[in-house]
Amino acid sequence: MAESKTTYIQSYCRIQNNEIILNGDSVFKLEPTTFSDFSKKAIQKFEISYPKFFKMDNLSKLAFLGAELLLKSELDAATENNTALIFSNKSSSLDTDVKHQNSISDKENYYPSPAVFVYTLPNICLGEISIRHQLKSENSFFIFADFNPKFMEKYSTILLETNKADKVLCGWVEYFNEEYKAFLYVVGTQGELDHNQELLKQLYN
């Protein structure tokens, strides 16, 4: 039986309403604008150089941006890192699915785009993050009606206790029709914030 480990929330990020909150502090905020404009300016603000970002769908952009802010100072992109990814949302990839469906429903202008189709699975955003940070560890994407702190806390703790991961990046990344919210956090065996369901609820809100 695996040794019981105390786990901690090492860092967290919330992205919503044209604002980024990093570890409790507002680090970037814009007047009301589109998510596309907001994400582009955020990338510029934090000097994130990654041309492929602009080809991603909005769900992947949202997840990528949050992950970048939490992982860029922790991981060496040149080496393999044992950080697991556990994400969830309620709309899956519906925003992109609708765009894809529209492209094949228009008989007058029938041209399904491969660039859109490739993002019609929610877990593609995990692939984008894994490529960026050279992650080959466990990753899963779950669909829940709402953020599920009980499930996320138990799953991430099991991964750490069984040494399946050194750290776990957990996240709720919801995007549909310009309504979006991301709550991402890193869980590890060292830190100051106790990793528990009540604290997750507080940080999420």
Side-chain angles (χ1 to χ4, degrees):
M1 187 173 179
E3 179 185 354
S4 179
K5 295 182 179 180
T6 302
T7 58
Y8 300 90
I9 299 171
Q10 298 181 333
S11 56
Y12 63 94
C13 174
R14 197 165 63 244
I15 305 174
Q16 187 179 27
N17 299 327
N18 301 300
E19 183 177 20
I20 298 175
I21 308 283
L22 183 62
N23 297 321
D25 297 321
S26 178
V27 294
F28 183 66
K29 187 175 183 179
L30 290 182
E31 293 299 315
T33 185
T34 64
F35 176 76
S36 179
D37 182 54
F38 170 76
S39 61
K40 178 181 179 181
K41 289 178 178 174
I43 284 286
Q44 294 170 343
K45 158 74 175 176
F46 296 106
E47 300 180 342
I48 299 169
S49 178
Y50 197 66
K52 191 183 177 186
F53 176 84
F54 301 99
K55 299 180 181 179
M56 297 179 190
D57 73 330
N58 286 325
L59 179 65
S60 294
K61 285 181 179 178
L62 182 61
F64 181 93
L65 181 57
E68 191 70 12
L69 293 173
L70 294 177
L71 299 181
K72 67 177 182 177
S73 62
E74 293 195 18
L75 302 183
D76 180 359
T79 61
E80 184 175 326
N81 300 286
N82 191 24
T83 297
L85 304 175
I86 308 298
F87 279 39
S88 61
N89 75 4
K90 67 178 180 180
S91 296
S92 186
S93 56
L94 186 58
D95 191 78
T96 301
D97 296 345
V98 169
K99 291 183 176 70
H100 177 65
Q101 181 61 41
N102 289 342
S103 74
I104 63 178
S105 296
D106 186 353
K107 295 180 180 178
E108 301 286 326
N109 188 30
Y110 179 85
Y111 186 72
S113 168
V116 173
F117 176 72
V118 73
Y119 289 103
T120 53
L121 285 173
N123 62 320
I124 297 301
C125 67
L126 302 181
E128 299 285 13
I129 295 168
S130 295
I131 292 169
R132 169 65 163 170
H133 295 284
Q134 293 296 298
L135 303 178
K136 297 180 181 178
S137 47
E138 172 140 354
N139 66 78
S140 300
F141 199 111
F142 299 93
I143 310 299
F144 297 116
D146 298 290
F147 176 57
N148 190 332
K150 180 178 180 180
F151 177 88
M152 301 296 278
E153 187 265 338
K154 288 192 172 184
Y155 197 157
S156 56
T157 298
I158 288 172
L159 291 177
L160 293 168
E161 287 184 342
T162 56
N163 296 314
K164 294 287 182 65
D166 297 327
K167 295 183 179 182
V168 185
L169 174 63
C170 301
W172 172 268
V173 284
E174 170 64 18
Y175 185 99
F176 182 66
N177 197 25
E178 282 295 319
E179 293 290 326
Y180 62 91
K181 179 170 184 175
F183 170 56
L184 287 80
Y185 56 98
V186 177
V187 180
T189 55
Q190 296 180 335
E192 297 179 0
L193 294 177
D194 287 339
H195 179 217
N196 60 66
Q197 296 168 36
E198 287 305 314
L199 181 57
L200 287 176
K201 290 177 185 177
Q202 293 176 27
L203 297 180
Y204 173 80
N205 293 316

